[in-house]
Amino acid sequence: MRVSYKLSDAIHILAYVEIFKQHDLSSKAIAASIGSNASVVRNLMLDLRAANLLTTHQGIAAPELAKSPNDISIYDVYCAINMKHKLLHIDPKTNPNCLVGGHIQDTLNQFYDDIETAAHDQMKTISLAHVIQDILK
């Protein structure tokens, strides 16, 4: 299974823009901090801009947060970058003729939905300000 770093990288971009607002905010500089390439940063910045979390100006490497770091939750970022997939995944190829294999998917779906709801609720309580404060400690 492929792992996505989009959420981590998007939070990284927002924290970088706030912490280094008086420095080089080019996609190349941000990509160097992430350890990625500038096109990945630009694509994530487009998503963040579309969600009104970031403002950018064409031709100028001066992105800014569109809101206070206190008003941006990790859940806001999660929604902004189109993380449509579930956090937890169930094997879809279990044996339907087995007692466990025939029922495990429905059973786990119920529990996994509860876990995902709790995770989203927790993400709503963590602001970008919390992330920045922890980075600067």
Side-chain angles (χ1 to χ4, degrees):
M1 177 185 347
R2 191 162 186 263
V3 176
S4 173
Y5 299 113
K6 285 176 68 173
L7 179 59
S8 173
D9 290 349
I11 294 167
H12 189 137
I13 290 167
L14 294 172
Y16 188 98
V17 164
E18 181 64 14
I19 292 169
F20 291 114
K21 55 182 148 194
Q22 302 302 320
H23 296 87
D24 180 7
L25 295 177
S26 66
S27 56
K28 183 178 177 181
I30 297 169
S33 177
I34 292 173
S36 183
N37 65 56
S39 65
V40 169
V41 170
R42 285 191 296 273
N43 286 333
L44 285 171
M45 289 174 83
L46 287 172
D47 290 340
L48 295 168
R49 186 178 73 188
N52 296 315
L53 300 179
L54 191 68
T55 59
T56 60
H57 310 282
Q58 190 168 355
I60 302 170
E64 299 173 308
L65 297 185
K67 302 176 182 180
S68 162
N70 288 311
D71 296 329
I72 300 173
S73 72
I74 289 178
Y75 186 74
D76 294 331
V77 181
Y78 176 83
C79 292
I81 58 167
N82 302 314
M83 297 287 289
K84 301 281 188 229
H85 60 55
K86 296 233 177 217
L87 295 175
L88 304 171
H89 306 279
I90 298 169
D91 183 352
K93 297 178 248 162
T94 57
N95 181 352
N97 298 320
C98 172
L99 175 64
V100 176
H103 297 280
I104 193 73
Q105 293 165 349
D106 289 337
T107 299
L108 288 180
N109 269 326
Q110 174 186 341
F111 293 124
Y112 283 11
D113 286 345
D114 291 345
I115 292 167
E116 189 158 321
T117 298
H120 289 168
D121 289 346
Q122 182 65 25
M123 291 166 76
K124 292 173 186 176
T125 70
I126 303 168
S127 71
L128 180 62
H130 291 115
V131 173
I132 292 169
Q133 289 166 1
D134 199 69
I135 290 169
L136 296 176
K137 274 202 266 193

